[in-house]
Amino acid sequence: MSNLRVLVFGAWDDGPGYPRTRSWLLGLSAVGESPTLWRLPSLFGGQKKVDIVRQPWRWPGAACQLLAARQRARRAIGVALQSIDPHVVLVPYPGHALAPVVRAAFAGPIVLDLFLSAHDTVIEDRGYFRPRSLPARALLALDRRACAAADLVLVDTPAHAAHIAATFGLPAERTAWLPVGDPDAPAEPPPYPALTMPLRVLFFGTGVPLHGLPILVDAVQRCLGAVRLEVIGGSRAERTAITALASPHIQLGPVFLPRYELGAAIARAHVVAGVFGTSAKAQRVIPFKLVHALAAGRPVLTGDSPAVREWLRPGEDVLVAPMGDARGLAACLSELARAPHELPKIAIAARQTFEHRFSAVAIGHQLQALLAGVAQGSVGRRAVATHA
């Protein structure tokens, strides 16, 4: 345990589907740190945030609400700093609008968990607006302003950190990475199921484009019954298409499952499907669903990407297939169905990798070192305290 005084200040999301900050706080607790939490009410949490982004006619009202929230945040950070006198302030995701507020009040080191660029998510990955549109420029400015306010900007993978540094002109020492953990990981993974045929593959996710669910569905159809796919989640359009397909090889499950029930679905699976989309973002991130599967001790078959190769070992603790290639993915699935005997060994390695890289203790030690380094001036670079 260190004597570092850490203030966690923000309006972070919590609950099912939002593990980022909770896994970090659990990690700090696991290594003996006791940060002070100062959580503000979230105006646009969860799906509400997505709905507002997609409905420009709501932006003026949302802007007024944000201005009022900014004033409340200014008062709150003033009170928090007087009460705590922190060595370092950690602004969790989503902290894009709050990092400049903290910088205006605090001359000391600030760590921002950018996690996801607002511009990349809305424009590049989901394609809600044209790249050179006014909303795109506004979101890019929001990201840039947030990064400029921080001494250290955190994302989830080295590839993502390099992208953020290049996009916003940050020196490499002002970016770092810390993976998403699984705060609800089972203490022990469930036993691996018997290798009966067909091979049982599980997809779960919200259906964002980087998941590439249509590519996976196409690939399973090409396997001619050797693979059975269970789909939990997916977008409305994807679920409609699967229903119309009426394939005996694809089981369409519910849109959402509580954690306990999702854990049971993962336990039934021989393989968990990762992401297969073709966006640039798909090359840079390790989605939570992969970590979820590793924690459960299940082999993941996912698209081959730089981010995957930085964190995992293809053929040992993860299985990879070409990104965006249904034919290539089908070949991988068919090969696994013909020769599944390596899967239990990969399942064991998957859980070991989770413990080593993504567990609460592993993340806690990494975050502890980053916060201490920023506070001591050996990590990051002190930002100029003039960002209004």
Side-chain angles (χ1 to χ4, degrees):
M1 182 175 180
S2 71
N3 294 318
L4 193 65
R5 293 191 302 275
V6 178
L7 170 63
V8 180
F9 183 88
W12 58 93
D13 294 322
D14 203 356
Y18 299 100
R20 178 71 169 178
T21 302
R22 193 155 61 97
S23 70
W24 286 20
L25 298 179
L26 184 64
L28 288 176
S29 176
V31 298
E33 294 288 352
S34 300
T36 299
L37 309 186
W38 203 288
R39 189 177 179 192
L40 307 176
S42 176
L43 281 180
F44 311 123
Q47 183 61 37
K48 187 176 180 181
K49 177 171 51 183
V50 176
D51 293 341
I52 289 175
V53 167
R54 300 186 69 176
Q55 299 168 351
W57 60 89
R58 297 177 62 181
W59 292 359
C64 292
Q65 294 180 65
L66 284 171
L67 286 173
R70 184 183 176 93
Q71 291 299 324
R72 292 193 294 271
R74 283 173 172 165
R75 293 192 293 270
I77 188 62
V79 173
L81 293 174
Q82 289 181 355
S83 302
I84 300 157
D85 187 25
H87 294 119
V88 59
V89 177
L90 171 61
V91 181
Y93 174 84
H96 302 65
L98 288 175
V101 174
V102 177
R103 171 52 67 207
F106 183 56
I110 297 171
V111 176
L112 168 67
D113 181 25
L114 186 73
F115 185 40
L116 298 174
S117 156
H119 177 273
D120 282 1
T121 299
V122 175
I123 307 301
E124 179 183 303
D125 185 42
R126 303 198 178 189
Y128 290 160
F129 304 100
R130 295 189 305 275
R132 298 183 182 276
S133 64
L134 180 61
R137 294 198 297 270
L139 291 168
L140 197 62
L142 177 67
D143 287 334
R144 182 176 289 110
R145 187 177 176 84
C147 291
D151 296 276
L152 187 65
V153 177
L154 298 180
V155 288
D156 57 339
T157 68
H160 199 179
H163 170 73
I164 292 299
T167 300
F168 301 113
L170 297 176
E173 63 269 19
R174 285 186 59 192
T175 63
W177 56 90
L178 201 61
V180 179
D182 185 354
D184 298 310
E188 296 289 338
Y192 193 77
L195 289 171
T196 55
M197 293 295 107
L199 190 76
R200 297 195 298 273
V201 177
L202 173 68
F203 170 93
F204 61 92
T206 57
V208 293
L210 73 86
H211 286 175
L213 178 55
I215 297 167
L216 176 61
V217 168
D218 186 357
V220 169
Q221 288 291 91
R222 294 170 184 266
C223 292
L224 303 177
V227 174
R228 180 175 176 82
L229 173 65
E230 180 179 1
V231 175
I232 296 171
S235 69
R236 181 179 301 176
E238 289 167 344
R239 292 177 65 84
T240 299
I242 290 171
T243 300
L245 196 60
S247 169
H249 314 307
I250 302 175
Q251 175 188 348
L252 188 60
V255 174
F256 174 79
L257 279 180
R259 176 57 191 262
Y260 174 79
E261 294 182 40
L262 179 60
I266 294 173
R268 294 193 299 267
H270 294 122
V271 175
V272 173
V275 298
F276 308 100
T278 57
S279 70
K281 183 178 175 181
Q283 299 286 325
R284 298 191 297 263
V285 300
I286 299 288
F288 176 47
K289 59 187 297 182
L290 269 71
V291 180
H292 217 358
L294 295 175
R298 290 297 178 268
V300 177
L301 174 60
T302 192
D304 195 353
S305 71
V308 166
R309 289 186 175 271
E310 285 166 341
W311 286 101
L312 303 169
R313 296 162 295 163
E316 297 182 37
D317 55 11
V318 71
L319 300 161
V320 296
M323 281 284 199
D325 181 354
R327 189 182 299 274
L329 179 56
C332 292
L333 287 168
S334 297
E335 177 61 28
L336 289 176
R338 284 193 299 269
H341 53 274
E342 290 293 317
L343 290 175
K345 184 171 70 174
I346 295 173
I348 293 171
R351 175 66 187 209
Q352 291 172 341
T353 293
F354 171 79
E355 296 289 352
H356 178 65
R357 289 190 174 272
F358 301 100
S359 66
V361 171
I363 288 176
H365 281 305
Q366 293 176 67
L367 183 54
Q368 184 183 51
L370 286 169
L371 293 173
V374 170
Q376 296 163 5
S378 60
V379 175
R381 187 179 71 187
R382 186 65 54 84
V384 179
T386 56
H387 301 282

